[in-house]
């Protein structure tokens, strides 16, 4: 059910969860200090309670009230990327953030999203938690229609059009010696390195029982369809997910990610494409991952690899 900004503000203030557009993916929003509304968010998504949520703010100026960390150390990053798809995990002042948000950690994740409708809502109602608006484990929602597929036609959603970036924010955390990327995302490692004048580390210890980013423990982004990455599995597939400017063997349903020269296009189309496989009843697909593993392509490759992981 499509709602406008004013209705979204009313529902949020009443303690209801609503879906909102951001530049990355749609978010499932609740007031960050309303534990009951946040409980709703966890149960609507089927999300494990030990996976903390990102606090979304309307501007950098709001951050100071919550964090126990020198602002000047993060200013270059927020000047360059906020509003935008960068999430910062920072130590917080005790008790200012409910533990249901942080999953009991001494840090919390913050970002200022770049979507005019959601920024307007944030200015009216204050900080919101917003995990991606999809059933836990499934591909994220990059259109209002995807939210309705997961949560039903009656679920309130502000339709802000297709998401401009199409993949989630990059999550970055300071370390004693520099910065670590906890989740690759819409901002590339190379863009961060340029602003930081130092290359951030990539936290890819997926086997770790206690990763820095709890979300890494859970299955993610996966459609029902089985996804093959090795070319040798092509005969076992019914469909090909690939690029419009490349030639593939005939006899397969084709799901385009866009042009192979545009990682931006592939990012925008990725989750919609994975959802289309399921809508078309495809059981198994081969995905063309022959792309350079740098810049935004590295994020796309990571998402596809995780979506294909059935372990
Ligand atoms: O682009 C995005 O970030 C979207 C839009 C809606 O803003 N939101 C999003 O939220 O992707 P979610 O909940 O799907 O992913 C948040 C990730 C999870 O993997 C969680 O474990 C991690 O952020 N996270 C949250 N708080 C953290 C913390 N204090 N320390 C480490 N990781 C944290
Ligand atoms: Mg998510």
């Amino acid at each position: 059910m499509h709602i406008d900004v004013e209705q979204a503000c009313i529902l949020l203030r009443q303690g209801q969860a609503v879906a909102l557009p951001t530049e990355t993916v749609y978010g499932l929003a609740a007031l960050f200090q309303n534990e009951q509304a946040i409980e709703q968010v966890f149960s609507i998504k089927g999300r494990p309670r030990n996976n903390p949520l990102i606090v979304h703010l309307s501007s950098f100026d709001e951050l100071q009230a919550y964090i126990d960390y020198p602002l000047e150390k993060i200013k270059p990053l927020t000047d360059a990327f906020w509003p935008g798809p960068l999430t910062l995990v920072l130590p917080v002042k005790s008790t200012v953030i409910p533990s249901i948000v942080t999953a009991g950690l001494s840090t919390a994740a913050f970002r200022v999203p770049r979507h005019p409708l959601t920024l307007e809502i944030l200015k009216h109602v204050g900080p919101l938690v917003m995990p991606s608006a999809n059933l836990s484990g499934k591909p994220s929602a990059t259109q209002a229609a995807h939210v309705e597929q997961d949560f039903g036609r009656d679920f309130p959603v502000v339709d802000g059009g297709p998401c401009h970036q199409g993949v989630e924010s990059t999550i970055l955390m300071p370390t004693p010696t520099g910065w670590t990327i906890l989740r690759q995302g819409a901002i590339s490692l190379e863009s961060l390195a340029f602003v930081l004048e130092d290359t951030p580390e990539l936290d890819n210890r997926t086997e770790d029982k206690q990763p820095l980013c709890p979300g890494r423990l859970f299955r993610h982004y996966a459609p029902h369809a089985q996804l093959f990455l090795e070319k040798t599995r092509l005969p076992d597939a019914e469909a090909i997910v690939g690029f419009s400017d490349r030639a593939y063997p005939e006899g397969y349903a084709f799901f385009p990610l866009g042009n192979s020269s545009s990682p931006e296009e592939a990012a925008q189309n990725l989750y919609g494409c994975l959802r289309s496989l399921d809508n078309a009843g495809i059981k198994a697909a081969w995905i063309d991952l022959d792309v350079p593993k740098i810049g935004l392509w590295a994020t796309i490759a990571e998402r596809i690899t995780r979506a294909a992981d059935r372990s």
Side-chain angles (χ1 to χ4, degrees):
M1 179 180 48
H2 290 191
I3 56 168
D4 62 20
V5 164
E6 202 184 324
Q7 290 166 314
C9 292
I10 293 170
L11 289 172
L12 285 163
R13 287 196 182 107
Q14 285 173 351
Q16 299 236 17
V18 301
L20 303 180
T22 84
E23 79 282 26
T24 57
V25 299
Y26 275 74
L28 181 58
L31 292 185
F32 94 112
Q33 271 166 330
N34 186 325
E35 298 202 14
Q36 241 174 316
I38 298 172
E39 282 289 345
Q40 236 192 86
V41 163
F42 279 102
S43 58
I44 292 168
K45 274 183 67 88
R47 182 184 177 103
R49 306 285 151 139
N50 54 349
N51 193 4
L53 302 168
I54 299 174
V55 179
H56 294 67
L57 307 171
S58 73
S59 76
F60 171 77
D61 297 336
E62 287 181 39
L63 185 62
Q64 200 167 6
Y66 306 108
I67 63 169
D68 182 14
Y69 195 75
L71 278 182
E72 66 272 13
K73 289 204 182 167
I74 54 179
K75 196 83 175 45
L77 287 166
T78 54
D79 280 350
F81 298 114
W82 280 8
L86 176 68
T87 293
L88 294 173
V89 168
L90 299 167
V92 282
K93 295 174 182 157
S94 59
T95 72
V96 290
I97 312 262
S99 64
I100 188 171
V101 174
T102 60
L105 298 171
S106 58
T107 56
F110 298 92
R111 91 176 187 98
V112 177
R114 196 180 62 229
H115 193 290
L117 298 179
T118 294
L119 280 173
E120 202 183 327
I121 293 168
L122 283 165
K123 280 187 193 123
H124 285 300
V125 303
L128 295 168
V129 292
M130 268 202 278
S132 49
N134 54 279
L135 292 172
S136 208
K138 293 288 150 202
S140 304
T142 53
Q143 299 175 21
H146 298 162
V147 177
E148 292 176 337
Q149 275 170 13
D150 280 16
F151 303 147
R153 298 284 307 264
D154 291 337
F155 195 80
V157 50
V158 174
D159 186 357
C163 297
H164 180 69
Q165 306 275 357
V167 290
E168 292 83 352
S169 60
T170 303
I171 304 183
L172 193 65
M173 186 174 91
T175 65
T177 52
W179 292 85
T180 296
I181 295 177
L182 302 188
R183 176 179 73 183
Q184 290 168 276
I187 294 175
S188 67
L189 178 143
E190 291 83 349
S191 310
L192 288 171
F194 183 78
V195 170
L196 292 168
E197 296 176 1
D198 184 24
T199 303
E201 235 182 87
L202 197 55
D203 176 50
N204 48 14
R205 295 168 295 166
T206 43
E207 302 309 316
D208 201 325
K209 289 240 164 40
Q210 274 196 310
L212 293 170
C213 179
R216 300 195 74 102
L217 287 170
F218 309 107
R219 191 155 182 246
H220 264 88
Y221 320 116
H224 287 294
Q226 192 169 359
L227 302 175
F228 299 129
L229 307 182
E230 308 81 31
K231 197 84 184 252
T232 51
R233 299 300 302 272
L234 189 55
D236 303 322
E238 298 156 64
I240 291 177
V241 177
F243 299 98
S244 318
D245 56 327
R246 288 188 183 165
Y248 299 105
E250 293 195 359
Y252 294 89
F254 182 60
F255 293 78
L257 285 170
N259 198 287
S260 65
S261 63
S262 173
E264 291 80 16
E265 217 179 311
Q268 280 165 4
N269 291 330
L270 177 63
Y271 293 133
C273 216
L274 297 181
R275 285 172 173 269
S276 306
L277 292 172
D278 286 346
N279 295 340
I282 301 290
K283 298 276 176 298
W286 172 76
I287 301 200
D288 183 358
L289 244 190
D290 185 13
V291 295
K293 305 296 183 297
I294 51 165
L296 184 55
W297 285 123
T299 298
I300 295 166
E302 188 266 353
R303 292 297 192 275
I304 291 176
T305 307
R306 294 198 53 158
D309 183 4
R310 301 218 135 200
S311 60

